[in-house]
Amino acid sequence: MSLSLNQRTTKRWSVAEAVDGCVRHGLEAVGLWREEVAEQGLAESVKLVRDAGLRVSSLCRGGFLTAPGGPARQAALDDNRRAIDEAAELGAACLVMVVGGLPGVRPGEPLSDSGVSRDLAGARGQVAEALEVLAQYAGERGVKLALEPLHPMYCADRAVLSTLAQAVDLCLPYPEEQVGVVVDTFHVWWDPRLFEEIARAGRRIASYQVCDFLQPLPADVLLGRGMMGDGVIDFAPITRAVTEAGYTGDVEVEIFNADIWAADPDEVVATMKRRYAEVVTGD
């Protein structure tokens, strides 16, 4: 496995700046975000990555498949088809899928007086139904969908998949080259069945993302990710389990943290490399 910079860790960097930063720091891969790719331009982003000789370890993100109502659901499927096409153009190892929360619940916004569904089982059913459509589309374009279970505190607004077991179960009807899972330490470190499920996922692990779980969490829990070694996660056994399961892809560092975003991105990447060797792999 080798280290990859997820673009969100250095949020201030454009695609061009992130690509240049990876080259300067000797990284071989970068994880890109659709918003920044659109701002740079898809064709230009493809050229930048290829000219630099980098791999695209992932494209973030597809998903949000639980939109209420027929037109909204169709719009979500259409957007995910576009995301799959973008991932194919970039040659991304996978398209990360954050599947969406309860229908009508918007991340970071108060609940509305109407239009919010509390049917959790139904929302998970919507995700399964959407996969029936998108998996074939992705497979025809050589793109692997990577279902990302998120920590249960995000269940209502971002992802009704909260455990790796749920994500693996959804994958099983499809070929492993079409649908896999993301193992993100921030989201799964707490799971008492984590190591069993990593082994069960096996070659369906499409992405391994690392960052730490801070204590205490900030008021905005979305920004509770920390540099490896600054929180409570024991990385070595998770990394060992992912490796033993057969994963040989890139290891992305993906951090949402206001202080890290405000810091010098070059210093962030230098620290990231050092902590990866000291904390994640033990080298």
PDB file of all heavy atoms in Angstrom, residues 54-93:
ATOM      1  N   LEU A  54       0.215  10.563 -11.691  1.00  0.00           N
ATOM      2  CA  LEU A  54      -0.456  10.176 -10.446  1.00  0.00           C
ATOM      3  C   LEU A  54      -1.610   9.218 -10.709  1.00  0.00           C
ATOM      4  O   LEU A  54      -2.227   9.236 -11.780  1.00  0.00           O
ATOM      5  CB  LEU A  54      -1.002  11.411  -9.720  1.00  0.00           C
ATOM      6  CG  LEU A  54      -0.009  12.441  -9.201  1.00  0.00           C
ATOM      7  CD1 LEU A  54      -0.760  13.589  -8.545  1.00  0.00           C
ATOM      8  CD2 LEU A  54       0.968  11.814  -8.213  1.00  0.00           C
ATOM      9  N   ARG A  55      -1.908   8.394  -9.720  1.00  0.00           N
ATOM     10  CA  ARG A  55      -3.150   7.629  -9.699  1.00  0.00           C
ATOM     11  C   ARG A  55      -4.225   8.461  -9.008  1.00  0.00           C
ATOM     12  O   ARG A  55      -3.934   9.233  -8.089  1.00  0.00           O
ATOM     13  CB  ARG A  55      -2.976   6.321  -8.916  1.00  0.00           C
ATOM     14  CG  ARG A  55      -1.974   5.353  -9.523  1.00  0.00           C
ATOM     15  CD  ARG A  55      -1.926   4.060  -8.715  1.00  0.00           C
ATOM     16  NE  ARG A  55      -1.462   4.282  -7.341  1.00  0.00           N
ATOM     17  CZ  ARG A  55      -0.183   4.304  -6.980  1.00  0.00           C
ATOM     18  NH1 ARG A  55       0.770   4.155  -7.874  1.00  0.00           N
ATOM     19  NH2 ARG A  55       0.148   4.490  -5.716  1.00  0.00           N
ATOM     20  N   VAL A  56      -5.479   8.275  -9.410  1.00  0.00           N
ATOM     21  CA  VAL A  56      -6.611   8.850  -8.674  1.00  0.00           C
ATOM     22  C   VAL A  56      -7.155   7.730  -7.784  1.00  0.00           C
ATOM     23  O   VAL A  56      -7.783   6.784  -8.257  1.00  0.00           O
ATOM     24  CB  VAL A  56      -7.698   9.391  -9.617  1.00  0.00           C
ATOM     25  CG1 VAL A  56      -8.881   9.931  -8.816  1.00  0.00           C
ATOM     26  CG2 VAL A  56      -7.122  10.495 -10.511  1.00  0.00           C
ATOM     27  N   SER A  57      -6.859   7.824  -6.505  1.00  0.00           N
ATOM     28  CA  SER A  57      -7.218   6.746  -5.586  1.00  0.00           C
ATOM     29  C   SER A  57      -8.717   6.671  -5.334  1.00  0.00           C
ATOM     30  O   SER A  57      -9.247   5.608  -5.010  1.00  0.00           O
ATOM     31  CB  SER A  57      -6.465   6.900  -4.261  1.00  0.00           C
ATOM     32  OG  SER A  57      -6.629   8.200  -3.734  1.00  0.00           O
ATOM     33  N   SER A  58      -9.413   7.794  -5.481  1.00  0.00           N
ATOM     34  CA  SER A  58     -10.875   7.793  -5.376  1.00  0.00           C
ATOM     35  C   SER A  58     -11.398   9.111  -5.917  1.00  0.00           C
ATOM     36  O   SER A  58     -10.666  10.103  -5.997  1.00  0.00           O
ATOM     37  CB  SER A  58     -11.344   7.607  -3.930  1.00  0.00           C
ATOM     38  OG  SER A  58     -11.160   8.803  -3.186  1.00  0.00           O
ATOM     39  N   LEU A  59     -12.668   9.101  -6.285  1.00  0.00           N
ATOM     40  CA  LEU A  59     -13.404  10.329  -6.548  1.00  0.00           C
ATOM     41  C   LEU A  59     -14.524  10.397  -5.533  1.00  0.00           C
ATOM     42  O   LEU A  59     -15.311   9.462  -5.379  1.00  0.00           O
ATOM     43  CB  LEU A  59     -13.979  10.342  -7.966  1.00  0.00           C
ATOM     44  CG  LEU A  59     -14.800  11.587  -8.325  1.00  0.00           C
ATOM     45  CD1 LEU A  59     -13.926  12.845  -8.329  1.00  0.00           C
ATOM     46  CD2 LEU A  59     -15.492  11.416  -9.684  1.00  0.00           C
ATOM     47  N   CYS A  60     -14.578  11.511  -4.813  1.00  0.00           N
ATOM     48  CA  CYS A  60     -15.644  11.752  -3.849  1.00  0.00           C
ATOM     49  C   CYS A  60     -16.562  12.829  -4.406  1.00  0.00           C
ATOM     50  O   CYS A  60     -16.062  13.855  -4.883  1.00  0.00           O
ATOM     51  CB  CYS A  60     -15.084  12.241  -2.514  1.00  0.00           C
ATOM     52  SG  CYS A  60     -14.083  11.030  -1.622  1.00  0.00           S
ATOM     53  N   ARG A  61     -17.822  12.726  -4.399  1.00  0.00           N
ATOM     54  CA  ARG A  61     -18.496  11.540  -3.975  1.00  0.00           C
ATOM     55  C   ARG A  61     -19.783  11.400  -4.752  1.00  0.00           C
ATOM     56  O   ARG A  61     -20.329  12.378  -5.279  1.00  0.00           O
ATOM     57  CB  ARG A  61     -18.796  11.596  -2.467  1.00  0.00           C
ATOM     58  CG  ARG A  61     -19.682  12.761  -2.100  1.00  0.00           C
ATOM     59  CD  ARG A  61     -19.730  13.027  -0.625  1.00  0.00           C
ATOM     60  NE  ARG A  61     -20.552  14.204  -0.409  1.00  0.00           N
ATOM     61  CZ  ARG A  61     -20.650  14.885   0.702  1.00  0.00           C
ATOM     62  NH1 ARG A  61     -19.939  14.493   1.752  1.00  0.00           N
ATOM     63  NH2 ARG A  61     -21.407  15.926   0.805  1.00  0.00           N
ATOM     64  N   GLY A  62     -20.256  10.177  -4.850  1.00  0.00           N
ATOM     65  CA  GLY A  62     -21.596   9.913  -5.307  1.00  0.00           C
ATOM     66  C   GLY A  62     -22.468   9.649  -4.098  1.00  0.00           C
ATOM     67  O   GLY A  62     -22.049   9.812  -2.956  1.00  0.00           O
ATOM     68  N   GLY A  63     -23.697   9.205  -4.389  1.00  0.00           N
ATOM     69  CA  GLY A  63     -24.583   8.835  -3.294  1.00  0.00           C
ATOM     70  C   GLY A  63     -25.757   9.756  -3.117  1.00  0.00           C
ATOM     71  O   GLY A  63     -26.332  10.265  -4.077  1.00  0.00           O
ATOM     72  N   PHE A  64     -26.140   9.965  -1.844  1.00  0.00           N
ATOM     73  CA  PHE A  64     -27.346  10.715  -1.481  1.00  0.00           C
ATOM     74  C   PHE A  64     -28.523  10.206  -2.307  1.00  0.00           C
ATOM     75  O   PHE A  64     -29.157  10.935  -3.068  1.00  0.00           O
ATOM     76  CB  PHE A  64     -27.101  12.222  -1.613  1.00  0.00           C
ATOM     77  CG  PHE A  64     -26.172  12.722  -0.538  1.00  0.00           C
ATOM     78  CD1 PHE A  64     -24.809  12.757  -0.735  1.00  0.00           C
ATOM     79  CD2 PHE A  64     -26.684  13.089   0.703  1.00  0.00           C
ATOM     80  CE1 PHE A  64     -23.952  13.161   0.280  1.00  0.00           C
ATOM     81  CE2 PHE A  64     -25.834  13.501   1.726  1.00  0.00           C
ATOM     82  CZ  PHE A  64     -24.472  13.536   1.510  1.00  0.00           C
ATOM     83  N   LEU A  65     -28.780   8.924  -2.093  1.00  0.00           N
ATOM     84  CA  LEU A  65     -29.758   8.171  -2.868  1.00  0.00           C
ATOM     85  C   LEU A  65     -31.127   8.107  -2.205  1.00  0.00           C
ATOM     86  O   LEU A  65     -32.016   7.411  -2.703  1.00  0.00           O
ATOM     87  CB  LEU A  65     -29.237   6.740  -3.074  1.00  0.00           C
ATOM     88  CG  LEU A  65     -27.856   6.640  -3.726  1.00  0.00           C
ATOM     89  CD1 LEU A  65     -27.342   5.209  -3.651  1.00  0.00           C
ATOM     90  CD2 LEU A  65     -27.912   7.109  -5.169  1.00  0.00           C
ATOM     91  N   THR A  66     -31.304   8.826  -1.100  1.00  0.00           N
ATOM     92  CA  THR A  66     -32.537   8.706  -0.328  1.00  0.00           C
ATOM     93  C   THR A  66     -33.424   9.934  -0.457  1.00  0.00           C
ATOM     94  O   THR A  66     -34.253  10.201   0.409  1.00  0.00           O
ATOM     95  CB  THR A  66     -32.213   8.469   1.162  1.00  0.00           C
ATOM     96  OG1 THR A  66     -31.385   9.552   1.641  1.00  0.00           O
ATOM     97  CG2 THR A  66     -31.476   7.152   1.359  1.00  0.00           C
ATOM     98  N   ALA A  67     -33.274  10.678  -1.525  1.00  0.00           N
ATOM     99  CA  ALA A  67     -34.083  11.883  -1.724  1.00  0.00           C
ATOM    100  C   ALA A  67     -35.563  11.515  -1.786  1.00  0.00           C
ATOM    101  O   ALA A  67     -35.940  10.510  -2.386  1.00  0.00           O
ATOM    102  CB  ALA A  67     -33.666  12.585  -3.008  1.00  0.00           C
ATOM    103  N   PRO A  68     -36.426  12.337  -1.151  1.00  0.00           N
ATOM    104  CA  PRO A  68     -37.860  12.027  -1.170  1.00  0.00           C
ATOM    105  C   PRO A  68     -38.492  12.401  -2.501  1.00  0.00           C
ATOM    106  O   PRO A  68     -38.113  13.371  -3.139  1.00  0.00           O
ATOM    107  CB  PRO A  68     -38.413  12.901  -0.033  1.00  0.00           C
ATOM    108  CG  PRO A  68     -37.479  14.078   0.021  1.00  0.00           C
ATOM    109  CD  PRO A  68     -36.124  13.539  -0.356  1.00  0.00           C
ATOM    110  N   GLY A  69     -39.473  11.610  -2.924  1.00  0.00           N
ATOM    111  CA  GLY A  69     -40.241  11.961  -4.109  1.00  0.00           C
ATOM    112  C   GLY A  69     -39.608  11.495  -5.403  1.00  0.00           C
ATOM    113  O   GLY A  69     -38.390  11.391  -5.520  1.00  0.00           O
ATOM    114  N   GLY A  70     -40.474  11.219  -6.393  1.00  0.00           N
ATOM    115  CA  GLY A  70     -40.019  10.708  -7.672  1.00  0.00           C
ATOM    116  C   GLY A  70     -39.033  11.587  -8.396  1.00  0.00           C
ATOM    117  O   GLY A  70     -37.941  11.128  -8.768  1.00  0.00           O
ATOM    118  N   PRO A  71     -39.342  12.883  -8.646  1.00  0.00           N
ATOM    119  CA  PRO A  71     -38.408  13.740  -9.378  1.00  0.00           C
ATOM    120  C   PRO A  71     -37.054  13.891  -8.676  1.00  0.00           C
ATOM    121  O   PRO A  71     -36.016  13.888  -9.330  1.00  0.00           O
ATOM    122  CB  PRO A  71     -39.154  15.081  -9.457  1.00  0.00           C
ATOM    123  CG  PRO A  71     -40.591  14.725  -9.334  1.00  0.00           C
ATOM    124  CD  PRO A  71     -40.635  13.564  -8.403  1.00  0.00           C
ATOM    125  N   ALA A  72     -37.084  14.022  -7.341  1.00  0.00           N
ATOM    126  CA  ALA A  72     -35.832  14.172  -6.604  1.00  0.00           C
ATOM    127  C   ALA A  72     -34.995  12.898  -6.681  1.00  0.00           C
ATOM    128  O   ALA A  72     -33.765  12.947  -6.811  1.00  0.00           O
ATOM    129  CB  ALA A  72     -36.115  14.540  -5.148  1.00  0.00           C
ATOM    130  N   ARG A  73     -35.651  11.764  -6.620  1.00  0.00           N
ATOM    131  CA  ARG A  73     -34.917  10.505  -6.717  1.00  0.00           C
ATOM    132  C   ARG A  73     -34.319  10.338  -8.110  1.00  0.00           C
ATOM    133  O   ARG A  73     -33.187   9.873  -8.253  1.00  0.00           O
ATOM    134  CB  ARG A  73     -35.841   9.330  -6.388  1.00  0.00           C
ATOM    135  CG  ARG A  73     -36.238   9.266  -4.926  1.00  0.00           C
ATOM    136  CD  ARG A  73     -37.141   8.104  -4.630  1.00  0.00           C
ATOM    137  NE  ARG A  73     -37.734   8.228  -3.291  1.00  0.00           N
ATOM    138  CZ  ARG A  73     -38.627   7.391  -2.780  1.00  0.00           C
ATOM    139  NH1 ARG A  73     -39.019   6.355  -3.494  1.00  0.00           N
ATOM    140  NH2 ARG A  73     -39.120   7.574  -1.573  1.00  0.00           N
ATOM    141  N   GLN A  74     -35.078  10.719  -9.126  1.00  0.00           N
ATOM    142  CA  GLN A  74     -34.549  10.625 -10.481  1.00  0.00           C
ATOM    143  C   GLN A  74     -33.361  11.563 -10.660  1.00  0.00           C
ATOM    144  O   GLN A  74     -32.372  11.215 -11.307  1.00  0.00           O
ATOM    145  CB  GLN A  74     -35.644  10.964 -11.493  1.00  0.00           C
ATOM    146  CG  GLN A  74     -35.212  10.748 -12.944  1.00  0.00           C
ATOM    147  CD  GLN A  74     -34.803   9.318 -13.226  1.00  0.00           C
ATOM    148  OE1 GLN A  74     -35.528   8.374 -12.888  1.00  0.00           O
ATOM    149  NE2 GLN A  74     -33.629   9.134 -13.820  1.00  0.00           N
ATOM    150  N   ALA A  75     -33.461  12.764 -10.079  1.00  0.00           N
ATOM    151  CA  ALA A  75     -32.345  13.709 -10.161  1.00  0.00           C
ATOM    152  C   ALA A  75     -31.103  13.142  -9.483  1.00  0.00           C
ATOM    153  O   ALA A  75     -29.976  13.329  -9.968  1.00  0.00           O
ATOM    154  CB  ALA A  75     -32.734  15.044  -9.527  1.00  0.00           C
ATOM    155  N   ALA A  76     -31.287  12.440  -8.357  1.00  0.00           N
ATOM    156  CA  ALA A  76     -30.147  11.829  -7.664  1.00  0.00           C
ATOM    157  C   ALA A  76     -29.507  10.745  -8.519  1.00  0.00           C
ATOM    158  O   ALA A  76     -28.276  10.644  -8.602  1.00  0.00           O
ATOM    159  CB  ALA A  76     -30.603  11.261  -6.321  1.00  0.00           C
ATOM    160  N   LEU A  77     -30.317   9.923  -9.170  1.00  0.00           N
ATOM    161  CA  LEU A  77     -29.771   8.885 -10.039  1.00  0.00           C
ATOM    162  C   LEU A  77     -29.007   9.510 -11.203  1.00  0.00           C
ATOM    163  O   LEU A  77     -27.915   9.050 -11.564  1.00  0.00           O
ATOM    164  CB  LEU A  77     -30.894   7.993 -10.564  1.00  0.00           C
ATOM    165  CG  LEU A  77     -31.544   7.046  -9.549  1.00  0.00           C
ATOM    166  CD1 LEU A  77     -32.739   6.348 -10.184  1.00  0.00           C
ATOM    167  CD2 LEU A  77     -30.547   6.018  -9.030  1.00  0.00           C
ATOM    168  N   ASP A  78     -29.573  10.572 -11.776  1.00  0.00           N
ATOM    169  CA  ASP A  78     -28.896  11.237 -12.895  1.00  0.00           C
ATOM    170  C   ASP A  78     -27.556  11.826 -12.467  1.00  0.00           C
ATOM    171  O   ASP A  78     -26.561  11.735 -13.195  1.00  0.00           O
ATOM    172  CB  ASP A  78     -29.793  12.344 -13.464  1.00  0.00           C
ATOM    173  CG  ASP A  78     -31.014  11.793 -14.179  1.00  0.00           C
ATOM    174  OD1 ASP A  78     -31.022  10.594 -14.524  1.00  0.00           O
ATOM    175  OD2 ASP A  78     -31.983  12.566 -14.381  1.00  0.00           O
ATOM    176  N   ASP A  79     -27.523  12.416 -11.278  1.00  0.00           N
ATOM    177  CA  ASP A  79     -26.268  12.989 -10.791  1.00  0.00           C
ATOM    178  C   ASP A  79     -25.233  11.898 -10.541  1.00  0.00           C
ATOM    179  O   ASP A  79     -24.037  12.086 -10.803  1.00  0.00           O
ATOM    180  CB  ASP A  79     -26.511  13.789  -9.510  1.00  0.00           C
ATOM    181  CG  ASP A  79     -25.247  14.476  -9.024  1.00  0.00           C
ATOM    182  OD1 ASP A  79     -24.707  15.327  -9.766  1.00  0.00           O
ATOM    183  OD2 ASP A  79     -24.771  14.141  -7.925  1.00  0.00           O
ATOM    184  N   ASN A  80     -25.685  10.758 -10.053  1.00  0.00           N
ATOM    185  CA  ASN A  80     -24.746   9.662  -9.828  1.00  0.00           C
ATOM    186  C   ASN A  80     -24.228   9.079 -11.134  1.00  0.00           C
ATOM    187  O   ASN A  80     -23.065   8.657 -11.204  1.00  0.00           O
ATOM    188  CB  ASN A  80     -25.403   8.577  -8.969  1.00  0.00           C
ATOM    189  CG  ASN A  80     -25.302   8.877  -7.493  1.00  0.00           C
ATOM    190  OD1 ASN A  80     -24.301   8.575  -6.858  1.00  0.00           O
ATOM    191  ND2 ASN A  80     -26.330   9.499  -6.933  1.00  0.00           N
ATOM    192  N   ARG A  81     -25.040   9.071 -12.165  1.00  0.00           N
ATOM    193  CA  ARG A  81     -24.538   8.649 -13.474  1.00  0.00           C
ATOM    194  C   ARG A  81     -23.445   9.604 -13.944  1.00  0.00           C
ATOM    195  O   ARG A  81     -22.428   9.173 -14.504  1.00  0.00           O
ATOM    196  CB  ARG A  81     -25.683   8.586 -14.479  1.00  0.00           C
ATOM    197  CG  ARG A  81     -26.686   7.454 -14.213  1.00  0.00           C
ATOM    198  CD  ARG A  81     -27.673   7.326 -15.353  1.00  0.00           C
ATOM    199  NE  ARG A  81     -28.682   6.312 -15.090  1.00  0.00           N
ATOM    200  CZ  ARG A  81     -29.884   6.551 -14.595  1.00  0.00           C
ATOM    201  NH1 ARG A  81     -30.243   7.806 -14.314  1.00  0.00           N
ATOM    202  NH2 ARG A  81     -30.752   5.576 -14.389  1.00  0.00           N
ATOM    203  N   ARG A  82     -23.656  10.898 -13.724  1.00  0.00           N
ATOM    204  CA  ARG A  82     -22.611  11.860 -14.093  1.00  0.00           C
ATOM    205  C   ARG A  82     -21.345  11.615 -13.285  1.00  0.00           C
ATOM    206  O   ARG A  82     -20.224  11.691 -13.816  1.00  0.00           O
ATOM    207  CB  ARG A  82     -23.112  13.290 -13.876  1.00  0.00           C
ATOM    208  CG  ARG A  82     -24.160  13.742 -14.891  1.00  0.00           C
ATOM    209  CD  ARG A  82     -24.409  15.231 -14.795  1.00  0.00           C
ATOM    210  NE  ARG A  82     -25.062  15.591 -13.551  1.00  0.00           N
ATOM    211  CZ  ARG A  82     -26.396  15.605 -13.380  1.00  0.00           C
ATOM    212  NH1 ARG A  82     -27.198  15.278 -14.384  1.00  0.00           N
ATOM    213  NH2 ARG A  82     -26.912  15.959 -12.220  1.00  0.00           N
ATOM    214  N   ALA A  83     -21.507  11.329 -12.000  1.00  0.00           N
ATOM    215  CA  ALA A  83     -20.334  11.056 -11.156  1.00  0.00           C
ATOM    216  C   ALA A  83     -19.581   9.824 -11.648  1.00  0.00           C
ATOM    217  O   ALA A  83     -18.342   9.796 -11.657  1.00  0.00           O
ATOM    218  CB  ALA A  83     -20.777  10.869  -9.701  1.00  0.00           C
ATOM    219  N   ILE A  84     -20.310   8.807 -12.065  1.00  0.00           N
ATOM    220  CA  ILE A  84     -19.674   7.599 -12.597  1.00  0.00           C
ATOM    221  C   ILE A  84     -18.900   7.928 -13.866  1.00  0.00           C
ATOM    222  O   ILE A  84     -17.758   7.478 -14.056  1.00  0.00           O
ATOM    223  CB  ILE A  84     -20.742   6.513 -12.856  1.00  0.00           C
ATOM    224  CG1 ILE A  84     -21.293   5.989 -11.519  1.00  0.00           C
ATOM    225  CG2 ILE A  84     -20.163   5.364 -13.685  1.00  0.00           C
ATOM    226  CD1 ILE A  84     -22.556   5.159 -11.655  1.00  0.00           C
ATOM    227  N   ASP A  85     -19.499   8.731 -14.736  1.00  0.00           N
ATOM    228  CA  ASP A  85     -18.809   9.131 -15.962  1.00  0.00           C
ATOM    229  C   ASP A  85     -17.523   9.906 -15.644  1.00  0.00           C
ATOM    230  O   ASP A  85     -16.487   9.716 -16.298  1.00  0.00           O
ATOM    231  CB  ASP A  85     -19.729   9.989 -16.832  1.00  0.00           C
ATOM    232  CG  ASP A  85     -20.901   9.198 -17.398  1.00  0.00           C
ATOM    233  OD1 ASP A  85     -20.819   7.957 -17.452  1.00  0.00           O
ATOM    234  OD2 ASP A  85     -21.913   9.830 -17.779  1.00  0.00           O
ATOM    235  N   GLU A  86     -17.590  10.790 -14.636  1.00  0.00           N
ATOM    236  CA  GLU A  86     -16.405  11.560 -14.243  1.00  0.00           C
ATOM    237  C   GLU A  86     -15.319  10.636 -13.699  1.00  0.00           C
ATOM    238  O   GLU A  86     -14.134  10.791 -14.027  1.00  0.00           O
ATOM    239  CB  GLU A  86     -16.803  12.609 -13.194  1.00  0.00           C
ATOM    240  CG  GLU A  86     -17.709  13.706 -13.735  1.00  0.00           C
ATOM    241  CD  GLU A  86     -18.435  14.465 -12.637  1.00  0.00           C
ATOM    242  OE1 GLU A  86     -18.039  14.338 -11.456  1.00  0.00           O
ATOM    243  OE2 GLU A  86     -19.404  15.182 -12.952  1.00  0.00           O
ATOM    244  N   ALA A  87     -15.728   9.681 -12.873  1.00  0.00           N
ATOM    245  CA  ALA A  87     -14.751   8.730 -12.323  1.00  0.00           C
ATOM    246  C   ALA A  87     -14.088   7.929 -13.431  1.00  0.00           C
ATOM    247  O   ALA A  87     -12.879   7.652 -13.387  1.00  0.00           O
ATOM    248  CB  ALA A  87     -15.437   7.798 -11.319  1.00  0.00           C
ATOM    249  N   ALA A  88     -14.873   7.556 -14.448  1.00  0.00           N
ATOM    250  CA  ALA A  88     -14.310   6.813 -15.570  1.00  0.00           C
ATOM    251  C   ALA A  88     -13.285   7.655 -16.323  1.00  0.00           C
ATOM    252  O   ALA A  88     -12.205   7.166 -16.686  1.00  0.00           O
ATOM    253  CB  ALA A  88     -15.432   6.365 -16.507  1.00  0.00           C
ATOM    254  N   GLU A  89     -13.598   8.928 -16.555  1.00  0.00           N
ATOM    255  CA  GLU A  89     -12.668   9.812 -17.265  1.00  0.00           C
ATOM    256  C   GLU A  89     -11.364   9.987 -16.490  1.00  0.00           C
ATOM    257  O   GLU A  89     -10.276  10.043 -17.073  1.00  0.00           O
ATOM    258  CB  GLU A  89     -13.327  11.176 -17.496  1.00  0.00           C
ATOM    259  CG  GLU A  89     -14.371  11.199 -18.583  1.00  0.00           C
ATOM    260  CD  GLU A  89     -13.776  10.988 -19.964  1.00  0.00           C
ATOM    261  OE1 GLU A  89     -12.736  11.618 -20.271  1.00  0.00           O
ATOM    262  OE2 GLU A  89     -14.324  10.175 -20.727  1.00  0.00           O
ATOM    263  N   LEU A  90     -11.486  10.083 -15.174  1.00  0.00           N
ATOM    264  CA  LEU A  90     -10.310  10.293 -14.336  1.00  0.00           C
ATOM    265  C   LEU A  90      -9.515   9.011 -14.097  1.00  0.00           C
ATOM    266  O   LEU A  90      -8.396   9.053 -13.580  1.00  0.00           O
ATOM    267  CB  LEU A  90     -10.735  10.875 -12.982  1.00  0.00           C
ATOM    268  CG  LEU A  90     -11.201  12.326 -12.994  1.00  0.00           C
ATOM    269  CD1 LEU A  90     -12.018  12.636 -11.742  1.00  0.00           C
ATOM    270  CD2 LEU A  90     -10.011  13.281 -13.107  1.00  0.00           C
ATOM    271  N   GLY A  91     -10.109   7.863 -14.453  1.00  0.00           N
ATOM    272  CA  GLY A  91      -9.459   6.595 -14.152  1.00  0.00           C
ATOM    273  C   GLY A  91      -9.402   6.332 -12.667  1.00  0.00           C
ATOM    274  O   GLY A  91      -8.461   5.677 -12.178  1.00  0.00           O
ATOM    275  N   ALA A  92     -10.386   6.820 -11.914  1.00  0.00           N
ATOM    276  CA  ALA A  92     -10.399   6.674 -10.456  1.00  0.00           C
ATOM    277  C   ALA A  92     -10.540   5.207 -10.060  1.00  0.00           C
ATOM    278  O   ALA A  92     -11.291   4.451 -10.694  1.00  0.00           O
ATOM    279  CB  ALA A  92     -11.533   7.494  -9.850  1.00  0.00           C
ATOM    280  N   ALA A  93      -9.844   4.825  -8.996  1.00  0.00           N
ATOM    281  CA  ALA A  93      -9.940   3.452  -8.507  1.00  0.00           C
ATOM    282  C   ALA A  93     -11.348   3.125  -8.027  1.00  0.00           C
ATOM    283  O   ALA A  93     -11.777   1.971  -8.083  1.00  0.00           O
ATOM    284  CB  ALA A  93      -8.933   3.223  -7.381  1.00  0.00           C
TER     285      ALA A  93
END
